[in-house]
Every structure is written in structure tokens, then in C-alpha cells.
Amino acid sequence: TSTVLKLIEYGAQVEKRDSNGWTALLYADHCKKRDCIVAMLQPDNFDICSLQLQMLAELLQSPVRTTRERATKVIDYVARVPEFFGAINAYVAKNPSVLETTLTFLLKNRELLSFENKQAYFRRRIADSEDVDTSQGSWADSQSRIQVDRRSLVQTACNSLLNMSGNDVRNS
């Protein structure tokens, strides 16, 4: 890990891709080097972490199936690490359209999104459905369907609390 950090410090371009579209991040995951993934994503540096998440989102659109699968595995792994849960959710909060495009799989795995991002997503969906012609019925009759899994509700709430400061918890 210290070698990876030194390479990054000296300007290594971890976003570069090989002929299959794989980046150093995907290779680190393939080799089960979780500490290297953490080092490359830099969850404490929002700008770098956002760029890496954006790159992963692009890899999800790759024509190469193994690249898409590996990128999905990386995002699934990092979303379960508390500091990355916060980084991914901060990225989604600033770029909500990714839930409609490149990061739609986050909606399928309910543990990966914060309650706030889920709430914002559903509010957007409801607002969008209000724009639908309701002359034949109410907006509730439209195709928007909300499914709540109560089993993961507590886990999601706990993950959100873990990413809050003491002051944020007291003030909420």
C-alpha cells in the first residue's frame, strides 16, 4: 500500500486503461488488494474520489462484459466500507442523475445508498410522475412503484449515522 501511495504522490495515472479497458483499480480488486483500492480511491479527498467514481461509472458502460462486472464489484465493495459509503453518497447527492444512468445498480442494492439519497430519488420520481397526464387517473396510478425493504432500513440508517459527525447527529 505504501508503494501505491508513493506512486500516486509522484503522479501515477491510476485512471489509465489497458487494451481491455481495465484500470489499476480493477486489477487491485481482481488481486484482492483491498488496501490498494482504498489508497487509489482516497475517500478523504472528495475531488480525487469523485473522479475515480466517475471513472468507475464510465467502466460500467464498457462493451467488455468482464470490465463491467469488475467495476460493479469494486463499487459494491467500496460502498460497504464506511468512509466510501459516505464518499459514494456525497457523489450521488451532487450528481443525482447517475442513479438514472450509470449507477442504476445502486438502486437495486438498498444498502449502498443513504436514506437521504433514496428519499431524494423518490421525491424526484414522484415530482416527475406529477408531470404525467393524469386525466385517466391519479399520479398514484402511474408506473412509479416504490418498494421498501424494512429489513435493511435499520442497516441503512446505521450506515448514515456512522458517516455523521457528533454535531450532525445531535442537530438532526
Side-chain angles (χ1 to χ4, degrees), residues 131-169:
D131 294 336
V132 174
D133 177 21
T134 57
S135 61
Q136 302 298 318
S138 71
W139 67 267
D141 296 329
S142 70
Q143 292 299 313
S144 292
R145 190 169 155 234
I146 298 174
Q147 184 177 14
V148 176
D149 182 356
R150 296 178 196 280
R151 293 171 294 175
S152 64
L153 196 59
V154 172
Q155 181 64 39
T156 302
C158 288
N159 284 341
S160 291
L161 286 172
L162 286 172
N163 289 298
M164 295 174 77
S165 70
N167 287 333
D168 289 341
V169 172

Short mmCIF file of all heavy atoms in Angstrom, two decimals, residues 131-169:
data_model
loop_
_atom_site.label_atom_id
_atom_site.label_comp_id
_atom_site.label_asym_id
_atom_site.label_seq_id
_atom_site.Cartn_x
_atom_site.Cartn_y
_atom_site.Cartn_z
N ASP A 131 -45.89 15.28 -13.49
CA ASP A 131 -45.91 15.91 -14.81
C ASP A 131 -46.63 15.03 -15.84
O ASP A 131 -46.90 15.47 -16.95
CB ASP A 131 -44.48 16.18 -15.30
CG ASP A 131 -43.78 17.23 -14.44
OD1 ASP A 131 -44.48 18.03 -13.80
OD2 ASP A 131 -42.54 17.20 -14.42
N VAL A 132 -46.91 13.79 -15.47
CA VAL A 132 -47.58 12.86 -16.38
C VAL A 132 -49.05 13.24 -16.50
O VAL A 132 -49.66 13.71 -15.54
CB VAL A 132 -47.43 11.40 -15.83
CG1 VAL A 132 -48.24 10.42 -16.64
CG2 VAL A 132 -45.98 11.01 -15.79
N ASP A 133 -49.63 13.01 -17.66
CA ASP A 133 -51.06 13.29 -17.88
C ASP A 133 -51.87 12.38 -16.96
O ASP A 133 -51.81 11.15 -17.07
CB ASP A 133 -51.42 13.03 -19.34
CG ASP A 133 -52.89 13.23 -19.62
OD1 ASP A 133 -53.56 13.93 -18.82
OD2 ASP A 133 -53.36 12.71 -20.65
N THR A 134 -52.60 12.97 -16.03
CA THR A 134 -53.39 12.20 -15.07
C THR A 134 -54.87 12.29 -15.36
O THR A 134 -55.70 12.05 -14.49
CB THR A 134 -53.10 12.68 -13.63
OG1 THR A 134 -53.40 14.07 -13.56
CG2 THR A 134 -51.68 12.41 -13.23
N SER A 135 -55.24 12.62 -16.61
CA SER A 135 -56.66 12.75 -16.94
C SER A 135 -57.39 11.42 -16.81
O SER A 135 -58.60 11.39 -16.63
CB SER A 135 -56.82 13.31 -18.35
OG SER A 135 -56.22 12.43 -19.29
N GLN A 136 -56.65 10.32 -16.88
CA GLN A 136 -57.27 9.00 -16.76
C GLN A 136 -57.18 8.43 -15.34
O GLN A 136 -57.58 7.32 -15.10
CB GLN A 136 -56.59 8.01 -17.73
CG GLN A 136 -56.64 8.45 -19.17
CD GLN A 136 -58.07 8.57 -19.68
OE1 GLN A 136 -58.90 7.73 -19.39
NE2 GLN A 136 -58.34 9.63 -20.42
N GLY A 137 -56.63 9.19 -14.42
CA GLY A 137 -56.49 8.72 -13.04
C GLY A 137 -55.48 9.56 -12.30
O GLY A 137 -54.95 10.53 -12.83
N SER A 138 -55.18 9.20 -11.07
CA SER A 138 -54.24 9.97 -10.26
C SER A 138 -52.81 9.57 -10.58
O SER A 138 -52.56 8.56 -11.22
CB SER A 138 -54.53 9.73 -8.77
OG SER A 138 -54.13 8.43 -8.42
N TRP A 139 -51.85 10.35 -10.07
CA TRP A 139 -50.45 10.02 -10.28
C TRP A 139 -50.11 8.70 -9.61
O TRP A 139 -49.20 8.00 -10.01
CB TRP A 139 -49.53 11.14 -9.81
CG TRP A 139 -49.54 11.37 -8.32
CD1 TRP A 139 -50.32 12.23 -7.64
CD2 TRP A 139 -48.74 10.69 -7.35
NE1 TRP A 139 -50.07 12.14 -6.29
CE2 TRP A 139 -49.10 11.20 -6.09
CE3 TRP A 139 -47.77 9.70 -7.41
CZ2 TRP A 139 -48.53 10.75 -4.91
CZ3 TRP A 139 -47.19 9.26 -6.23
CH2 TRP A 139 -47.57 9.79 -5.01
N ALA A 140 -50.86 8.33 -8.58
CA ALA A 140 -50.60 7.06 -7.89
C ALA A 140 -50.88 5.88 -8.80
O ALA A 140 -50.37 4.79 -8.58
CB ALA A 140 -51.46 6.96 -6.63
N ASP A 141 -51.69 6.10 -9.86
CA ASP A 141 -51.97 5.02 -10.80
C ASP A 141 -50.89 4.88 -11.87
O ASP A 141 -50.93 3.97 -12.68
CB ASP A 141 -53.32 5.26 -11.50
CG ASP A 141 -54.48 5.23 -10.52
OD1 ASP A 141 -54.37 4.50 -9.52
OD2 ASP A 141 -55.46 5.95 -10.76
N SER A 142 -49.93 5.82 -11.89
CA SER A 142 -48.89 5.76 -12.90
C SER A 142 -47.93 4.61 -12.60
O SER A 142 -48.08 3.89 -11.62
CB SER A 142 -48.14 7.10 -12.97
OG SER A 142 -47.37 7.27 -11.81
N GLN A 143 -46.89 4.46 -13.41
CA GLN A 143 -46.00 3.31 -13.32
C GLN A 143 -44.93 3.43 -12.22
O GLN A 143 -44.14 2.53 -12.06
CB GLN A 143 -45.32 3.09 -14.67
CG GLN A 143 -46.29 2.65 -15.74
CD GLN A 143 -46.95 1.33 -15.40
OE1 GLN A 143 -46.29 0.38 -15.00
NE2 GLN A 143 -48.27 1.28 -15.50
N SER A 144 -44.87 4.54 -11.50
CA SER A 144 -43.89 4.66 -10.42
C SER A 144 -44.30 3.72 -9.29
O SER A 144 -45.42 3.74 -8.82
CB SER A 144 -43.85 6.10 -9.87
OG SER A 144 -43.31 6.94 -10.84
N ARG A 145 -43.36 2.89 -8.88
CA ARG A 145 -43.65 1.93 -7.84
C ARG A 145 -42.52 2.01 -6.82
O ARG A 145 -41.35 1.96 -7.18
CB ARG A 145 -43.71 0.53 -8.44
CG ARG A 145 -44.22 -0.48 -7.49
CD ARG A 145 -44.52 -1.78 -8.24
NE ARG A 145 -44.43 -2.83 -7.26
CZ ARG A 145 -43.67 -3.89 -7.37
NH1 ARG A 145 -42.97 -4.08 -8.46
NH2 ARG A 145 -43.62 -4.78 -6.43
N ILE A 146 -42.88 2.16 -5.57
CA ILE A 146 -41.89 2.26 -4.50
C ILE A 146 -41.96 1.00 -3.67
O ILE A 146 -43.04 0.60 -3.22
CB ILE A 146 -42.14 3.50 -3.62
CG1 ILE A 146 -42.01 4.77 -4.46
CG2 ILE A 146 -41.20 3.52 -2.43
CD1 ILE A 146 -42.39 6.03 -3.72
N GLN A 147 -40.81 0.38 -3.48
CA GLN A 147 -40.75 -0.83 -2.69
C GLN A 147 -39.81 -0.57 -1.52
O GLN A 147 -38.68 -0.12 -1.71
CB GLN A 147 -40.22 -1.98 -3.55
CG GLN A 147 -40.22 -3.30 -2.84
CD GLN A 147 -39.75 -4.41 -3.78
OE1 GLN A 147 -39.20 -4.15 -4.84
NE2 GLN A 147 -39.96 -5.63 -3.38
N VAL A 148 -40.28 -0.84 -0.33
CA VAL A 148 -39.48 -0.61 0.87
C VAL A 148 -39.17 -1.95 1.50
O VAL A 148 -40.07 -2.75 1.78
CB VAL A 148 -40.24 0.29 1.89
CG1 VAL A 148 -39.45 0.44 3.16
CG2 VAL A 148 -40.56 1.63 1.26
N ASP A 149 -37.91 -2.21 1.71
CA ASP A 149 -37.48 -3.43 2.39
C ASP A 149 -37.17 -3.05 3.84
O ASP A 149 -36.14 -2.48 4.14
CB ASP A 149 -36.26 -4.01 1.71
CG ASP A 149 -35.79 -5.31 2.33
OD1 ASP A 149 -36.38 -5.74 3.35
OD2 ASP A 149 -34.86 -5.91 1.79
N ARG A 150 -38.09 -3.35 4.71
CA ARG A 150 -37.94 -2.94 6.11
C ARG A 150 -36.77 -3.63 6.80
O ARG A 150 -36.24 -3.12 7.77
CB ARG A 150 -39.24 -3.22 6.86
CG ARG A 150 -40.39 -2.39 6.33
CD ARG A 150 -41.67 -2.72 7.09
NE ARG A 150 -42.85 -2.25 6.40
CZ ARG A 150 -43.30 -1.00 6.42
NH1 ARG A 150 -42.66 -0.11 7.11
NH2 ARG A 150 -44.38 -0.66 5.76
N ARG A 151 -36.33 -4.76 6.27
CA ARG A 151 -35.21 -5.47 6.89
C ARG A 151 -33.91 -4.68 6.78
O ARG A 151 -33.05 -4.75 7.64
CB ARG A 151 -35.03 -6.84 6.26
CG ARG A 151 -36.19 -7.78 6.54
CD ARG A 151 -36.07 -9.01 5.74
NE ARG A 151 -36.22 -8.61 4.33
CZ ARG A 151 -36.08 -9.41 3.31
NH1 ARG A 151 -35.77 -10.66 3.48
NH2 ARG A 151 -36.25 -8.97 2.08
N SER A 152 -33.73 -3.92 5.69
CA SER A 152 -32.49 -3.18 5.52
C SER A 152 -32.60 -1.73 5.98
O SER A 152 -31.64 -0.98 5.91
CB SER A 152 -32.04 -3.23 4.05
OG SER A 152 -32.96 -2.58 3.23
N LEU A 153 -33.76 -1.34 6.45
CA LEU A 153 -33.98 0.04 6.88
C LEU A 153 -33.06 0.41 8.04
O LEU A 153 -32.43 1.47 8.04
CB LEU A 153 -35.45 0.23 7.28
CG LEU A 153 -35.96 1.64 7.41
CD1 LEU A 153 -35.80 2.39 6.10
CD2 LEU A 153 -37.42 1.61 7.81
N VAL A 154 -32.95 -0.47 9.02
CA VAL A 154 -32.10 -0.20 10.18
C VAL A 154 -30.64 -0.13 9.76
O VAL A 154 -29.90 0.78 10.18
CB VAL A 154 -32.31 -1.27 11.28
CG1 VAL A 154 -31.31 -1.12 12.39
CG2 VAL A 154 -33.73 -1.20 11.81
N GLN A 155 -30.20 -1.05 8.90
CA GLN A 155 -28.81 -1.06 8.44
C GLN A 155 -28.48 0.23 7.69
O GLN A 155 -27.44 0.84 7.90
CB GLN A 155 -28.54 -2.27 7.55
CG GLN A 155 -27.10 -2.36 7.05
CD GLN A 155 -26.11 -2.54 8.17
OE1 GLN A 155 -26.35 -3.27 9.11
NE2 GLN A 155 -24.98 -1.87 8.07
N THR A 156 -29.38 0.67 6.84
CA THR A 156 -29.16 1.90 6.08
C THR A 156 -29.10 3.09 7.02
O THR A 156 -28.24 3.97 6.88
CB THR A 156 -30.28 2.10 5.04
OG1 THR A 156 -30.30 0.97 4.18
CG2 THR A 156 -30.07 3.36 4.23
N ALA A 157 -29.99 3.13 8.00
CA ALA A 157 -29.97 4.23 8.97
C ALA A 157 -28.67 4.23 9.76
O ALA A 157 -28.07 5.29 10.00
CB ALA A 157 -31.18 4.13 9.90
N CYS A 158 -28.20 3.05 10.17
CA CYS A 158 -26.94 2.96 10.91
C CYS A 158 -25.76 3.43 10.06
O CYS A 158 -24.89 4.14 10.54
CB CYS A 158 -26.71 1.52 11.39
SG CYS A 158 -27.82 1.04 12.73
N ASN A 159 -25.74 3.03 8.78
CA ASN A 159 -24.67 3.48 7.88
C ASN A 159 -24.68 4.99 7.76
O ASN A 159 -23.63 5.63 7.74
CB ASN A 159 -24.81 2.84 6.50
CG ASN A 159 -24.36 1.40 6.49
OD1 ASN A 159 -23.64 0.95 7.37
ND2 ASN A 159 -24.79 0.66 5.48
N SER A 160 -25.86 5.58 7.67
CA SER A 160 -25.96 7.04 7.59
C SER A 160 -25.43 7.69 8.85
O SER A 160 -24.71 8.69 8.81
CB SER A 160 -27.40 7.48 7.34
OG SER A 160 -27.82 7.10 6.07
N LEU A 161 -25.78 7.13 10.01
CA LEU A 161 -25.31 7.68 11.28
C LEU A 161 -23.80 7.58 11.42
O LEU A 161 -23.16 8.48 11.96
CB LEU A 161 -25.99 6.98 12.46
CG LEU A 161 -27.45 7.35 12.70
CD1 LEU A 161 -28.05 6.44 13.76
CD2 LEU A 161 -27.58 8.81 13.10
N LEU A 162 -23.22 6.48 10.93
CA LEU A 162 -21.77 6.30 11.01
C LEU A 162 -21.02 7.38 10.26
O LEU A 162 -19.88 7.70 10.59
CB LEU A 162 -21.37 4.92 10.47
CG LEU A 162 -21.69 3.73 11.36
CD1 LEU A 162 -21.42 2.43 10.61
CD2 LEU A 162 -20.85 3.78 12.63
N ASN A 163 -21.65 7.94 9.24
CA ASN A 163 -20.99 8.94 8.42
C ASN A 163 -21.29 10.37 8.86
O ASN A 163 -20.93 11.31 8.17
CB ASN A 163 -21.38 8.75 6.95
CG ASN A 163 -20.73 7.51 6.40
OD1 ASN A 163 -19.52 7.42 6.35
ND2 ASN A 163 -21.54 6.55 6.03
N MET A 164 -21.94 10.52 9.99
CA MET A 164 -22.27 11.85 10.50
C MET A 164 -21.33 12.20 11.66
O MET A 164 -20.90 11.33 12.40
CB MET A 164 -23.72 11.89 11.00
CG MET A 164 -24.76 11.69 9.91
SD MET A 164 -26.43 11.56 10.56
CE MET A 164 -26.79 13.27 10.89
N SER A 165 -21.05 13.47 11.79
CA SER A 165 -20.25 13.92 12.92
C SER A 165 -21.17 13.95 14.17
O SER A 165 -22.38 13.91 14.05
CB SER A 165 -19.69 15.32 12.66
OG SER A 165 -20.75 16.27 12.69
N GLY A 166 -20.56 14.06 15.33
CA GLY A 166 -21.33 14.14 16.58
C GLY A 166 -22.29 15.30 16.57
O GLY A 166 -23.44 15.17 17.01
N ASN A 167 -21.83 16.45 16.06
CA ASN A 167 -22.71 17.62 15.99
C ASN A 167 -23.88 17.39 15.05
O ASN A 167 -25.00 17.80 15.34
CB ASN A 167 -21.93 18.87 15.56
CG ASN A 167 -21.03 19.37 16.65
OD1 ASN A 167 -21.29 19.17 17.84
ND2 ASN A 167 -19.95 20.03 16.27
N ASP A 168 -23.61 16.73 13.92
CA ASP A 168 -24.69 16.46 12.97
C ASP A 168 -25.75 15.55 13.60
O ASP A 168 -26.94 15.76 13.40
CB ASP A 168 -24.14 15.80 11.70
CG ASP A 168 -23.34 16.75 10.84
OD1 ASP A 168 -23.50 17.98 11.01
OD2 ASP A 168 -22.55 16.27 10.00
N VAL A 169 -25.30 14.56 14.35
CA VAL A 169 -26.25 13.63 15.00
C VAL A 169 -27.07 14.40 16.02
O VAL A 169 -28.29 14.24 16.08
CB VAL A 169 -25.51 12.45 15.66
CG1 VAL A 169 -26.46 11.60 16.48
CG2 VAL A 169 -24.83 11.59 14.60
#
